[in-house]
């Protein structure tokens, strides 16, 4: 038998989990070294009979997170766990989920577990579905009897069979502890063919539950009776040998990646949500970006999340008991089965309306929206509603995994920046042919737009700052009414990607507030430059002894030069560039912007400060050192998570293969390149999709499901845009802006 119970390692409880510290005095002031935890007589561990019970103190809800339990179980060669205890919807559920993820076969005995209420008990059992087999005591005993007949389980010494005697419920305001120890321990044989002689016993029991019963409280008495009733049936709990569970299906999460649930701890999330409610926020939008770069979101009232009251004055269930992960779902087909031009399912994606994904919010991305001040928005990852597994169609999850792989496998951390270009048009003025009218006729670097749109620029800057989105530079671009906003680089690529999503929404909203419409369409006029969204990349070598936090892209001693790792990273991007452009400039209109003289580059090449090269190495004017590489073949029609993940992966492939950087465009060495390396970019978007299909590396990174859906959707968009003129594209984008 293995007992887990609450006891701090320090007298001042400074080692207790943050969740417990925020949960009030009962959990923040635990027993410690000076005043150790004690057990009621009827659940007292037996340390001097047989091999003796094992005791492990814990300081958080999850026993696996705050103890060395997994280490102990591995040393005991334990493969199967039968778990009982309380509270069902807290400590028991946490132990079960973690055990399943760690590879144990888990059985929960539902009538040997207890909660504060019947509802809490039921919700806990519901939350453990898919992670454990949930049975009654009678079922365990039946299986035990069958196992004993086959010689798998040895008889239990009678000294280890104390009866269950829970404390009675009282009607006075006292602290009453309800706990039940199984009258028979479960046996887990180390090796099932020696079970009769070589076995280890283990029971995982949650901490004793202390329940305050107010005087003359009918509800409190009922809860006490529920807990007592839940523990009474448990007379004997035994383990099953590993062979007897082989025919029992156990559903577990199969994802190789999962975000820590610490981000959704009830104490932290409730404090944060209460804070934004105090700031006047009424609604929280749960958002995810689909494969076609549309934000899919739903708004949930904060009162519902925080367990407030309904419109009719009736107290509702505390929905937040499940955390924030259960509030919003989206049909899978909405994420990777619908094109940008209509809500119609594309058959070649092989998606339908039957599968559902849940939005798992990342509270680090939560922002109050200044342009909609009663609303906050949080971005999240998408997970299968049934298994909880990260969806292969989730592009934000893809970027998470690429970042983690770079860190864990290569020891690299990336720094990413972005430049967002857009064009401003009058909201109420169009030409006779319905073409919108730009707000000015300015050119690159002119002061006209800055002067005339100062109020808009100032308001936009303020609203971005309120969302903690830093702006480094604002200037007029080459086309009429065109502006560029340079976002500050981020040491976390995910934060930069989130900032891009939020910044574009803010630009649209603020333009509307000032009587304008902002268009991010890549090409608006055949006679003028288009709108890009350039990305800047550099990286840090975390395994460097001397400078793990320094930029590892430049050469250490030669000015203007790139390090060997930087060269391999750059060559990896060049090697995959014909396929990458299908993800970074992913529309027919995007390819209208590409070509000689368009400031984008038209072949597979790189240069130092060459703005006509698709990959431009940027130089710090103060130090003359190479700082980063800019990808100019990118625009706002692409999913920012997808394109950053793809570009980083291509660069990592170059590092992994140790590729040598080809000569710079225009150099003598470049003139001697063979034709395969000096190749042109795809001439059309459709051709770029063919390159993507042939790029086995990128397809393996994206995954079969996402590649299939992406190519099917983009081909549908190509077909839909057939015969559509540039003017028609601009008019359509203007109407949607």
């Amino acid at each position: 038998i293995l007992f887990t119970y609450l006891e701090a390692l320090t007298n001042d409880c400074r080692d207790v989990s943050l969740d417990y510290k925020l949960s009030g005095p009962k959990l923040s002031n635990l027993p410690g070294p000076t005043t150790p935890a004690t057990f009621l007589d009827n659940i007292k561990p037996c340390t001097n009979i047989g091999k003796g019970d094992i005791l492990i103190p814990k300081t958080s809800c999850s026993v696996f997170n705050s103890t060395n339990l997994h280490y102990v179980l591995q040393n005991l060669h334990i493969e199967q766990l039968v778990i009982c205890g309380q509270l069902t919807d807290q400590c028991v559920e946490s132990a079960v989920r973690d055990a399943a993820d760690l590879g144990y076969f888990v059985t929960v005995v539902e009538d040997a577990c207890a909660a504060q209420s019947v509802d809490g008990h039921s919700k806990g059992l519901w939350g453990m579905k898919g992670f454990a087999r949930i049975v009654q005591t009678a079922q365990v005993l039946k299986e035990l009897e069958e196992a004993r007949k086959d010689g798998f389980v040895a008889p239990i010494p009678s000294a280890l069979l104390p009866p269950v005697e829970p404390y009675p419920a009282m009607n006075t305001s006292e602290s009453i502890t309800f706990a039940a120890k199984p009258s028979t321990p479960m046996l887990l044989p180390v090796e099932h063919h020696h079970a009769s002689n070589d076995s280890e016993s283990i029971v995982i029991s949650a901490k004793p539950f202390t329940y305050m019963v107010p005087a003359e409280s009918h509800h409190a008495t009922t809860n006490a009776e529920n807990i007592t009733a839940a523990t009474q049936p448990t007379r004997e709990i035994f383990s099953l040998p590993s062979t007897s569970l082989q025919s029992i299906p156990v559903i577990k999460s199969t994802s190789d990646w999962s975000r820590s649930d610490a981000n959704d701890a009830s104490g932290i999330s409730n404090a944060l949500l209460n804070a934004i409610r105090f700031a006047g926020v009424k609604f929280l939008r749960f958002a995810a970006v689909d494969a076609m770069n549309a934000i899919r979101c739903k708004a949930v009232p904060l009162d519902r999340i925080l367990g407030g009251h309904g419109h009719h004055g009736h107290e509702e269930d505390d929905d937040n008991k499940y955390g924030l992960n259960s509030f919003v779902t989206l049909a899978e087909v909405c994420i990777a089965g619908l094109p940008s031009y209509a809500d119609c399912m594309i058959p070649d994606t092989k998606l339908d309306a039957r599968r559902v994904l849940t939005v798992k919010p990342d509270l680090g991305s939560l922002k109050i929206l200044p342009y909609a001040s009663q609303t906050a928005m949080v971005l999240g990852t998408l997970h299968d509603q049934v298994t909880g597994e990260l969806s292969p169609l989730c592009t934000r999850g893809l970027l998470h995994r690429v970042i983690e792989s770079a860190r864990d496998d290569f020891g690299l951390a990336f720094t990413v920046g972005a430049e967002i270009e857009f064009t401003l048009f009058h909201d109420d003025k169009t030409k006779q042919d319905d073409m919108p009218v730009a707000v000015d006729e300015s050119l690159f670097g002119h002061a006209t737009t800055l002067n005339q749109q100062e109020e808009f620029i100032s308001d936009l800057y303020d609203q971005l700052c309120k969302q903690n989105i830093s702006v480094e530079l604002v200037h007029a671009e080459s086309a009429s009414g065109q502006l560029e906003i340079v976002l500050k680089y981020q040491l976390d690529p995910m934060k930069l990607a989130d900032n891009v999503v939020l910044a574009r929404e803010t630009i649209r909203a603020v333009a509307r507030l000032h009587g304008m419409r902002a268009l991010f369409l890549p090409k608006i006029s055949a006679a003028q430059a288009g709108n890009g969204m350039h990305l800047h990349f550099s990286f840090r070598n975390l395994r460097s002894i001397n400078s793990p936090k320094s930029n590892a892209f430049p050469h250490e001693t030669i000015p203007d030069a790139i390090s060997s790792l930087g060269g391999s990273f750059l060559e990896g991007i060049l090697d995959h560039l014909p396929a990458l452009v299908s993800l970074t400039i992913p529309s027919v209109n995007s390819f209208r912007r590409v070509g000689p003289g368009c400031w984008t580059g038209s072949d597979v090449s790189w240069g130092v400060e060459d703005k006509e090269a698709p990959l431009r190495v940027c130089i710090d004017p103060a130090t003359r050192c190479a700082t980063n590489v800019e990808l100019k073949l990118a625009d706002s029609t692409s999913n920012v998570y997808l394109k950053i993940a793809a570009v980083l992966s291509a660069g990592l492939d170059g590092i992994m293969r140790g590729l040598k950087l080809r000569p710079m465009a225009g150099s003598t060495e470049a003139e001697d390149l063979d034709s395969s390396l000096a190749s042109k970019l795809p001439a059309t978007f459709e051709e770029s999709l063919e390159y993507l299909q042939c790029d086995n590396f990128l397809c393996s990174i994206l995954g079969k499901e996402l590649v299939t859906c992406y190519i099917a959707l983009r081909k549908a968009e190509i077909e839909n845009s057939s015969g559509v003129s540039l003017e028609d594209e601009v008019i359509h984008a203007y109407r949607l802006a």
Side-chain angles (χ1 to χ4, degrees), residues 235-382:
R235 306 304 302 171
E236 299 180 43
I237 297 181
F238 296 93
S239 73
L240 299 176
S242 57
T243 53
S244 64
L245 274 179
Q246 289 177 353
S247 62
I248 300 173
V250 180
I251 302 173
K252 298 190 299 181
S253 173
T254 59
S255 173
D256 291 331
W257 174 88
S258 61
R259 186 165 56 83
S260 171
D261 283 337
N263 200 25
D264 191 28
S266 60
I268 298 174
S269 61
N270 283 349
L272 178 61
L273 296 177
N274 274 301
I276 65 173
R277 181 165 66 173
F278 182 77
V281 172
K282 294 181 180 179
F283 303 98
L284 179 59
R285 292 180 192 171
F286 291 71
V289 180
D290 71 12
M292 297 295 98
N293 198 36
I295 298 177
R296 305 282 180 174
C297 61
K298 295 180 180 179
V300 181
L302 273 183
D303 283 347
R304 180 194 167 203
I305 298 175
L306 292 169
H309 294 272
H311 292 294
H312 302 288
H314 299 297
E315 188 172 353
E316 297 177 349
D317 290 338
D318 185 0
D319 291 324
N320 205 23
K321 284 184 179 179
Y322 298 116
L324 294 174
N325 301 337
S326 61
F327 281 100
V328 170
T329 60
L330 296 167
E332 184 182 60
V333 71
C334 293
I335 297 303
L338 305 180
S340 61
Y341 58 82
D343 277 353
C344 58
M345 290 186 281
I346 303 301
D348 286 347
T349 64
K350 305 187 186 308
L351 300 182
D352 53 39
R354 289 178 292 183
R355 292 174 62 87
V356 175
L357 304 176
T358 58
V359 180
K360 209 172 189 179
D362 179 354
L363 292 182
S365 70
L366 188 147
K367 309 286 184 184
I368 297 176
L369 305 178
Y371 50 86
S373 59
Q374 297 182 77
T375 299
M377 185 160 75
V378 63
L379 296 158
T381 48
L382 298 165

Side-chain angles (χ1 to χ4, degrees), residues 189-226:
V190 177
E191 296 180 0
H192 60 77
H193 52 280
H194 295 305
S196 59
N197 297 318
D198 300 287
S199 63
E200 292 289 347
S201 301
I202 177 169
V203 166
I204 295 182
S205 175
K207 63 183 181 292
F209 162 60
T210 301
Y211 180 70
M212 296 300 296
V213 185
E216 301 180 358
S217 170
H218 169 73
H219 295 292
T221 304
T222 302
N223 285 339
E225 291 171 351
N226 290 337

Side-chain angles (χ1 to χ4, degrees), residues 120-159:
H121 182 69
S122 299
K123 287 181 177 179
L125 294 174
W126 184 89
M128 289 184 278
K129 288 182 178 179
F131 294 89
R133 189 177 64 125
I134 300 175
V135 300
Q136 297 275 335
T137 301
Q139 176 68 20
V140 176
L141 294 178
K142 179 181 177 182
E143 293 172 355
L144 171 68
E145 183 60 30
E146 294 174 354
R148 179 179 286 117
K149 290 178 180 178
D150 294 332
F152 286 119
V153 181
I156 309 303
S158 58

